[in-house]
Every structure is written in C-alpha cells, then in structure tokens.
Amino acid sequence: MALNMLPPAELKAIFFLDSSKSALTKLQGGVSLKKEYGTASKRISCSVSAQPPPPAWPGRAIPEQGRKTWDGAKPISIVGSTGSIGTQTLDIVAENPDKFRVVALAAGSNVTLLADQVKTFKPQLVAVRNESLVDELKEALADVEDKPEIIPGEQGVVEVARHPDAVSVVTGIVGCAGLKPTVAAIEAGKDIALANKETLIAGGPFVLPLAHKHNVKILPADSEHSAIFQCIQGLPEGALRRIILTASGGAFRDWPVEKLKEARVSDALKHPNWNMGKKITVDSATLFNKGLEVIEAHYLFGAEYDDIEIVIHPQSIIHSMIETQDSSVLAQLGWPDMRLPILYTMSWPDRIYCSEVTWPRLDLCKLGSLTFKTPDNVKYPSMDLAYAAGRAGGTMTGVLSAANEKAVEMFINEKIGYLDIFKVVELTCERHRAELVASPSLEEIIHYDLWARDYAASLQPSFGLSPVPA
C-alpha cells in the first residue's frame, strides 16, 4: 500500500519552506487527510523571529578548572537503563567499578532486566515508567537486602534524572519522553551524557539556554557527535571551519534510485555495518539519521548549516571529521562500537584505559582501505528536508523528527511504502509552516511533537485504498 507520490527526482525539487512550491498543491490527488488541523483550540500562534540558542560547545572544548566535585567513583544516573544505551553504559560501569557507580536507574517496562540491574549495581533509587508494573518489580526485588526506593511513572523518571548524588545523567530514553527528565537534570545542575536525540533536535531552542543558565555540560554520546567533540578538544577560539559527518549509506547505498520503489521492510533492515533496532536501521537506509545529526551538530557546535557536510563512508571507521581554518582535517577513528563514545561522555575530560580483550584496538593495516563518496540527494531526499527544517529552526526540527518517527513506524507496519516516508515528512513540515514557533517553551515543543505524529498518521492513500490508521 503506497501513497501516490512523486518520484525521488521530482520530490527533490520540492521544499516545504518555499511557499510558491507547496507540496500539498503539487500532489495531484495523491494524498488525502482524515481531518483538518490548524484551527483547533490548541493552536499555538507563530512567534516572531528569535536569536539562535547558544551552542553547547562553540567550536571548541576546554575543561573548566576545578570542575570535579566527587570523591572516588563518579556517581551517575541512567534514564533508560534497559535499552541499548543503558545496558552498554552498565557494561562500562561493570568493567570500571573504581571509576563509576550507579546511584539511580529508570526504565520503561522491562522489569525483569531492571531487577537484575538493581541486584548487580545496587542503586539508591529506581523508577519504572509503566506504573502498573511496580508490584511486579517489588516482587522481583523481594530477596534484595538493601532495597532501593521505587518511584513509579514519569515522576519517578524525573527523580532519577535529578538524583541529588548524581554528577552526570546518561539519557538513553527514546523520543520526547526524554525531554522532561533531561530538563529536570539540567535544572538540578547535572551534566548530561546525551544519547536522546530529541533533547536537541526538538528541544534545542529551550534546552540550550537552560544548560547555559545552570552551567551544565551536554556531552554527546552519539558516535558521530562524539567524534566531532573529540576532534575539537583544545582548539583555539574560531578555529573550526567545517564539520564532516560520515554516513554508512545504509541498506540501499548500492541500490539504483529506480529500484527504491520496490524496497520492502526486510530490505531496509539489512544494514551492512551495524546491528541496531528497526527504527534507526530504517533511518540509516533513508539517511534521515544523518539529516537529524546535521541539526544536532548545529545545536551542539554552533556551525552554520552551510558548514556541515555529509559524506558516505561505507566502512564506518571514521566516525566524523572537522576541518580547521587552515584547511587541516582532523578525524576520529575506531571500530563501530557505541561503548566508546558512551565511555567518553562519562569520563571526559579523562581518558580511561580499556582492555584489549573487551575493547579490540583498531588495526588499519588489517582494515586495508577507507573509501568515501558524495551522497545522492535524489536517492536521499531526507537531506534536503533536514537542512530546510534546520534553517527554519524553532519547532520545525522537532516536527521533522516526530513525523519521520511516525512515518517509519507506518512503513515498518507495512501501511505505507518506503518512498512514502519522505513524502509524509515533507507534507507534515509543510503543514507546520503556518504555526512554527521560533522560541518555543517546553510545552510547545511537546505539543508539536504530538501534533506531528498525529498529522503524519492522518495522511492516507487515496483512490479508494484502505486508510492508514491514526
């Protein structure tokens, strides 16, 4: 089941920021809506233009003197402890008990794994977001001698994020659900080991000024942004000239554009390099993951969008690069292993020794060669959409991310075709133009995240095909 949409070559010419080329008018009967938006009582009017938020790291990273405020192992909280980021963080803690200790854990609904984590790492506070599972968690911890305090629901997640003993908070929770606990952690003065993309992509205009106000450091745990962060260590002011984000190219990097209309879910999930969840694997195939990383790099490092470039690097060994004003290019290399960037967010500005047994060292001679190529904008319309959303700023970037998440969900559930992902996102962003908020509050960010998901779900195939469920 697919939307009757334009082919990639024509789609490339449509930009939702160009009012003279509205996608809604150019699609000749291809998409219909279940309901109208924009006149509802919840409408939030467009704000006036605003100054861009201050970047987390304005092109350089220099540790502040006397910033260390703990004795012994560094106390951390983990929000999203049973997910991929959380479990890898706990692997690092287990290998370095003299360097890190866990004071609080928050999970969604995987009570069995959470109980095992509590028994191993003995946190003082535990939260389970699914309140109905609290009794099950208590039963699983019945034989634990020093039982942690348990706080259910979203409030529990917030309390884990701002635990008074934590120095740093690892934010591994997915989606806008990670915004409120991250804001709470910032307001409590905790440094953020950032693995939640929505914190900056959706919340950047609100979160960054807040982080500056509370003198909180946002340390990127994503491999590409960690690479950039590592490359800017000690740079003099104004030295950064360009950011080069590397991309694997995903499952369709060797497919001709003409074949993409035949792409199935099983095809999109065949990532050549990484073993990841379904959503991020599809994002890698569409290159939306890299478009979102462009926005995140802008917020993290203050680079203009014209100075952020995407390069296809099939081996995924160079995780990203920077170019300095004198045209030198600095790169960070390593095997594809998320534990390395997570470790650096936890240990910065220190470097922790890693055993070769569990952390294989990079052997360039064994690797042989590294290759690069320019990404195809026709094959990956996501890049144009992401750059356009980034330049629009405000709530547009969060809408882009939320619409993409919903579109990928619809694709995985075989409600729309692969190429429809781009069109659903483009149409949602186009519809949001009239209500874009340049300097949104946290409430507005969350509202438009939910709006974008609802609107994207309302897009349905026409010509008598079954509607897409909202």
Side-chain angles (χ1 to χ4, degrees), residues 152-168:
E154 288 190 11
Q155 186 57 39
V157 179
V158 167
E159 295 304 327
V160 165
R162 65 185 181 196
H163 191 282
D165 290 350
V167 170
S168 182

Side-chain angles (χ1 to χ4, degrees), residues 79-328:
V79 177
S81 67
T82 58
S84 174
I85 296 297
T87 53
Q88 290 180 88
T89 301
L90 289 172
D91 287 343
I92 292 169
V93 174
E95 189 166 335
N96 299 278
D98 58 325
K99 299 291 193 302
F100 309 106
R101 64 184 177 92
V102 176
V103 297
L105 294 174
S109 57
N110 191 340
V111 170
T112 301
L113 180 54
L114 178 60
D116 289 341
Q117 292 174 347
V118 169
K119 293 173 183 178
T120 301
F121 296 98
K122 299 177 173 56
Q124 302 165 29
L125 174 65
V126 174
V128 56
R129 194 166 177 229
N130 187 338
E131 299 186 35
S132 66
L133 298 175
V134 170
D135 289 340
E136 184 179 337
L137 177 61
K138 289 180 178 179
E139 184 177 346
L141 298 177
D143 60 345
V144 173
E145 186 174 343
D146 295 322
K147 293 180 174 58
E149 180 183 3
I150 299 175
I151 303 178
E154 288 190 11
Q155 186 57 39
V157 179
V158 167
E159 295 304 327
V160 165
R162 65 185 181 196
H163 191 282
D165 290 350
V167 170
S168 182
V169 180
V170 179
T171 59
I173 194 169
V174 176
C176 263
L179 265 175
K180 286 185 177 179
T182 302
V183 167
I186 291 172
E187 291 176 337
K190 315 298 182 184
D191 285 342
I192 307 298
L194 183 67
N196 171 269
K197 288 182 179 296
E198 283 74 15
T199 296
L200 292 182
I201 293 169
F206 176 83
V207 168
L208 288 170
L210 190 70
H212 277 260
K213 176 183 176 182
H214 293 279
N215 193 27
V216 161
K217 301 302 182 188
I218 297 178
L219 302 152
D222 192 43
S223 61
E224 290 80 2
H225 300 107
S226 176
I228 298 163
F229 182 64
Q230 293 182 58
C231 289
I232 66 172
Q233 298 298 310
L235 283 186
E237 188 173 357
L240 180 63
R241 183 175 183 177
R242 182 170 55 124
I243 287 173
I244 306 166
L245 290 166
T246 55
S248 68
F252 302 132
R253 70 185 179 202
D254 298 321
W255 282 40
V257 172
E258 296 75 21
K259 190 181 175 184
L260 290 178
K261 62 180 181 292
E262 306 169 10
R264 299 170 299 177
V265 175
S266 57
D267 298 320
L269 295 179
K270 295 175 182 175
H271 195 284
N273 298 353
W274 299 84
N275 181 18
M276 306 178 291
K278 289 184 178 181
K279 196 269 181 182
I280 186 60
T281 305
V282 174
D283 278 350
S284 181
T286 62
L287 223 67
F288 259 114
N289 69 325
K290 212 54 52 177
L292 294 171
E293 286 171 13
V294 166
I295 296 167
E296 201 171 358
H298 166 75
Y299 281 132
L300 277 168
F301 308 111
E304 297 295 332
Y305 285 101
D306 288 345
D307 298 324
I308 305 174
E309 180 183 337
I310 298 172
V311 173
I312 301 293
H313 169 48
Q315 294 82 17
S316 295
I317 294 298
I318 295 180
H319 299 303
S320 276
M321 299 171 271
I322 66 165
E323 181 184 6
T324 58
Q325 294 293 350
D326 59 6
S327 76
S328 290

Side-chain angles (χ1 to χ4, degrees), residues 16 288 292 295 385-386 389 396-405 425 429:
F16 58 80
F288 259 114
L292 294 171
I295 296 167
L385 292 171
M396 187 64 80
T397 51
V399 164
L400 175 95
S401 177
N404 172 64
E405 189 168 329
V425 175
C429 290

